[in-house]
Amino acid sequence: MNAHTPSPPSVRPIQALPDHLISQIAAGEVVERPSAVVKEVLENALDAGASNIHIRLEEGGVKRIAITDNGRGIPPEQLPLAVARHATSKISSLTELENVATLGFRGEALASIASVSLLTLTTRTADAAHAWQIENGQISPASGAPGTTVDVQDLYYNTPARRKFLKSEQTEFGHCAEVVRRIALARPDVSFSLSHNGKAVDHWNVSAIDKRSAQILGENFAGARLPLDESAGPLRLHGFVGLPTASKGRADAQFFYVNGRFVRDKLLTHAVRAAYQDVLHGDRYPSYVLALDLDPALVDVNVHPSKIEVRFRDSRAVHQFVFHAVQRALAQTSATAFGTVPAPATAASATAVLAGKSMPWVAGEQGSFAKEFAAASPYAGSTPGYTGAGSSYPAAWPRPAAQGGISQNLARYGALFQAPETAAVSEPHPATLPARELPADENPLGFALAQLHGVYVLAQNTKGLVLVDMHAAHERILYEQLKNALDEDSMPVQALLIPVTFYADTIEVATVEEHQHTLKTLGFDMTAISPTTLAVRAVPALLKNADAQSLARDVLRDVREFGGSRVLIDRRNELLGTLACHTAVRANRSLTIPEMNALLRQMEQTERADQCNHGRPTWVQLGLQDLDKMFLRGQ
């Protein structure tokens, strides 16, 4: 027999396992590593109403974990049950299990911990004369303030095989510290302090969630986050979502809570990721702190021993609610970076948006750029000394024209960027005005100064210098207009005076014949005029200056690859991004000052204008202080 072949097991009668072995088996599920002990004990402390918790660790928690709270404490007569298996004060029936609102409820934690460590539990209720202590099943009087101290020493001392699988001291401490951070983020109304090997590591006083999240996630997140608070029926989502500028290379700043419990749920993660799809570049990960509150009966938290996974009764409704709530918050990032983020939509306005009653970005979409759009710039068609009633502009600047609806703008402004004027444009120049007179609220991106290498627009605002990638910015504007038009099923169409014909293979011809409805929905009129020739008779009005042949080929490729119905639902954004990229103003295109200002005004009024549809930034701000540092002014 091969030396590596296991010998057949000896035949044994069925017998009940001893209690101690049962506890050790359960500990394998509950106590994976020291951080699991920290999590279970902290959750018990919060369930006991603690407002002040101190965590002391030694050697990454392997040698010692001591957690002290000022909660209700445990009466001495209940101490034996506190460390017994399947004993808890939190549920007593299946109905209560299905509606559990506490963090802990299984009644396994302390018993499992005690089976693989040396556990000492010291506790005192508010009305007790002194504290009581249980160790190795023995209860004795002790000293201590009201509350509970759980002291866990020599973890896995009696299961050396498990101890061998633990990582280094710093790694285990890192996992413990991460658990403390997660719980501290969920409960800003509780103060936490953490020490390791006798040295203080973290301390968080009672504070509001905005301050607590800034302390834990850092000032970079605090300076680039959007508050969110929306409700729909029994669901409420609140917290903060980071701007795309706060994204990271790792998913280590993502905190999602369901009824106060930190979870890693694939459904929720997918919903948030999908909401960021339009604004994240490459493999970047968003940063967020979000809490979902709902009726406990609508979520099952008892699907995993560590309680880090949950199951929703109506998972689709939850996914859609989270997706749309985060998407609406991110939609309000037009010219809003660097601390000028507007307040997100309230629950009432969100409900109105869902009902189609309050969608200003649909009812009054911005028209596309054109030479004629100079008439809508703050300079053209007015005298330099104009001041209107109630105007907040300096006398040198006229008021910007009002924005019309999409059909009005398309009729008024016509094609995108007609042949630019080569003559110098003589308008009042914002660079001649003192910075203090720049209107701060109406035009966050300021006013154009010049164009750099045919790629970037240079503008001046109240904070300093703004650099705009004109192709990326225009691409986002067109992309949002295409999405809005498709959502309204009102894609404006431009018939071509002379149809564009081109050679097509049999697959392209078949795609046109098979997916006529999809193509018409997208604003294309294509027909086969021979077995090898296609004719393009109409294109979306927003894209009428694009190369009709290459545009048609790209649309047919996507429709053929993903299917007609799916390209309008699942792959819609990728397709519209392709279309927008075809028509966005190209690099090395000379723009006039009015056209540059038109671009800036459109950016300020377009959702998600801080990033192009590939997730790259469309503009950056260089403040006066940054410029002073570069030139060593005042040093």
Side-chain angles (χ1 to χ4, degrees):
M1 181 180 291
N2 191 311
H4 298 288
T5 303
S7 57
S10 58
V11 178
R12 295 180 180 175
I14 297 174
Q15 57 186 342
L17 294 175
D19 286 347
H20 189 66
L21 181 56
I22 292 174
S23 295
Q24 289 184 327
I25 293 173
E29 295 181 342
V30 178
V31 188
E32 300 175 26
R33 61 196 324 159
S35 60
V37 175
V38 174
K39 173 182 178 293
E40 297 291 346
V41 178
L42 283 179
E43 289 181 346
N44 280 341
L46 293 174
D47 286 341
S51 61
N52 190 349
I53 302 176
H54 181 54
I55 305 102
R56 289 169 291 166
L57 305 175
E58 294 182 19
E59 296 182 9
V62 178
K63 182 178 180 181
R64 188 181 187 192
I65 300 171
I67 299 180
T68 302
D69 67 66
N70 64 344
R72 289 186 294 272
I74 304 171
E77 64 274 11
Q78 295 182 21
L79 280 176
L81 281 174
V83 294
R85 289 189 303 112
H86 304 305
T88 181
S89 62
K90 299 167 187 177
I91 59 170
S92 61
S93 66
L94 180 60
T95 302
E96 290 184 350
L97 176 62
E98 293 175 346
N99 292 272
V100 65
T102 54
L103 296 174
F105 55 87
R106 289 170 172 265
E108 297 177 0
L110 290 179
S112 297
I113 294 169
S115 68
V116 291
S117 68
L118 302 176
L119 174 68
T120 303
L121 179 63
T122 305
T123 184
R124 177 182 173 184
T125 57
D127 56 353
H130 57 81
W132 291 86
Q133 179 176 288
I134 182 169
E135 185 177 8
N136 293 325
Q138 301 297 318
I139 301 176
S140 59
S143 61
T148 302
T149 296
V150 179
D151 194 345
V152 179
Q153 299 189 43
D154 292 330
L155 193 62
Y156 300 128
Y157 78 98
N158 54 356
T159 52
R162 291 292 302 277
R163 193 159 185 163
K164 289 179 181 177
F165 282 94
L166 296 179
K167 304 299 181 183
S168 68
E169 177 180 326
Q170 282 304 313
T171 298
E172 296 300 339
F173 170 70
H175 285 287
C176 292
E178 179 65 17
V179 166
V180 177
R181 292 174 68 221
R182 292 173 186 168
I183 294 178
L185 260 178
R187 295 296 301 271
D189 58 323
V190 178
S191 66
F192 294 84
S193 59
L194 171 66
S195 63
H196 185 223
N197 293 336
K199 296 180 180 179
V201 177
D202 282 313
H203 179 77
W204 302 295
N205 290 320
V206 174
S207 60
I209 182 60
D210 57 343
K211 185 175 180 181
R212 178 67 61 86
S213 60
Q215 291 172 331
I216 294 179
L217 272 71
E219 292 302 323
N220 288 339
F221 177 78
R225 64 185 178 185
L226 293 164
L228 186 156
D229 193 343
E230 287 203 21
S231 299
L235 305 176
R236 180 195 175 203
L237 184 68
H238 55 100
F240 296 97
V241 291
L243 290 168
T245 51
S247 64
K248 305 185 70 175
R250 297 185 301 165
D252 59 353
Q254 301 180 347
F255 297 86
F256 211 115
Y257 301 87
V258 175
N259 289 344
R261 184 191 311 278
F262 175 82
V263 298
R264 275 204 196 95
D265 185 80
K266 292 181 180 178
L267 177 125
L268 297 175
T269 301
H270 181 272
V272 176
R273 181 74 189 186
Y276 273 91
Q277 182 180 4
D278 276 357
V279 293
L280 271 191
H281 178 54
D283 295 327
R284 304 290 292 177
Y285 294 90
S287 301
Y288 54 83
V289 179
L290 292 171
L292 177 66
D293 298 337
L294 71 166
D295 185 341
L298 300 178
V299 58
D300 184 2
V301 299
N302 193 28
V303 297
H304 192 275
S306 67
K307 302 187 288 290
I308 204 167
E309 298 177 9
V310 294
R311 183 183 295 122
F312 297 100
R313 180 170 294 181
D314 190 346
S315 57
R316 179 172 176 80
V318 171
H319 181 281
Q320 290 300 98
F321 170 69
V322 172
F323 167 73
H324 287 296
V326 175
Q327 190 181 54
R328 278 192 293 273
L330 292 173
Q332 301 171 65
T333 56
S334 56
T336 59
F338 306 100
T340 56
V341 179
T346 62
S349 63
T351 304
V353 166
L354 288 174
K357 300 175 182 177
S358 175
M359 298 186 72
W361 53 88
V362 172
E365 287 104 335
Q366 297 78 36
S368 53
F369 297 127
K371 183 178 70 173
E372 292 88 348
F373 203 2
S377 80
Y379 310 117
S382 303
T383 58
Y386 168 82
T387 54
S391 172
S392 59
Y393 285 75
W397 289 346
R399 297 158 66 96
Q403 299 293 320
I406 188 168
S407 57
Q408 176 185 351
N409 283 340
L410 286 172
R412 180 179 179 186
Y413 304 129
L416 302 172
F417 282 106
Q418 300 287 349
E421 300 173 357
T422 55
V425 181
S426 57
E427 296 100 352
H429 205 284
T432 63
L433 294 174
R436 57 184 175 82
E437 294 185 20
L438 287 170
D441 297 330
E442 294 84 353
N443 305 109
L445 292 180
F447 293 91
L449 301 174
Q451 190 177 15
L452 181 65
H453 288 291
V455 177
Y456 301 103
V457 172
L458 279 63
Q460 172 186 337
N461 65 0
T462 55
K463 297 179 181 178
L465 179 67
V466 174
L467 295 174
V468 177
D469 182 334
M470 65 184 194
H471 174 75
H474 192 206
E475 191 175 351
R476 166 59 74 179
I477 292 167
L478 286 173
Y479 177 56
E480 293 297 329
Q481 290 178 346
L482 287 168
K483 285 201 300 183
N484 291 335
L486 193 59
D487 286 341
E488 282 199 318
D489 197 21
S490 60
M491 183 74 75
V493 175
Q494 173 66 53
L496 301 181
L497 184 62
I498 301 175
V500 175
T501 60
F502 59 93
Y503 171 81
D505 58 33
T506 55
I507 296 178
E508 288 175 325
V509 172
T511 302
V512 168
E513 294 175 346
E514 183 180 350
H515 297 289
Q516 273 294 316
H517 173 72
T518 299
L519 294 172
K520 287 187 180 298
T521 302
L522 292 169
F524 290 90
D525 181 3
M526 281 189 254
T527 55
I529 58 177
S530 81
T532 59
T533 307
L534 289 176
V536 181
R537 304 182 186 278
V539 296
L542 290 168
L543 310 177
K544 64 184 186 179
N545 272 13
D547 181 349
Q549 178 178 334
S550 62
L551 191 63
R553 287 190 184 279
D554 281 347
V555 170
L556 291 177
R557 185 195 63 232
D558 285 352
V559 171
R560 180 176 69 247
E561 183 176 352
F562 301 115
S565 59
R566 188 168 175 234
V567 80
L568 289 177
I569 301 172
D570 297 343
R571 314 294 298 192
R572 185 193 74 155
N573 290 350
E574 291 93 325
L575 174 63
L576 296 183
T578 299
L579 299 182
C581 192
H582 267 281
T583 311
V585 61
R586 297 295 177 184
N588 300 318
R589 177 71 181 273
S590 177
L591 302 182
T592 64
I593 291 290
E595 287 175 327
M596 293 184 221
N597 281 309
L599 175 64
L600 298 177
R601 301 294 79 78
Q602 286 262 16
M603 289 175 64
E604 291 165 350
Q605 299 171 35
T606 299
E607 296 173 350
R608 308 174 186 88
D610 288 351
Q611 283 78 33
C612 76
N613 30 306
H614 305 296
R616 292 187 293 269
T618 59
W619 67 283
V620 294
Q621 173 87 58
L622 284 176
L624 290 175
Q625 292 182 343
D626 300 321
L627 296 172
D628 288 344
K629 289 180 181 178
M630 292 170 63
F631 291 99
L632 305 179
R633 289 178 60 86
Q635 298 185 21

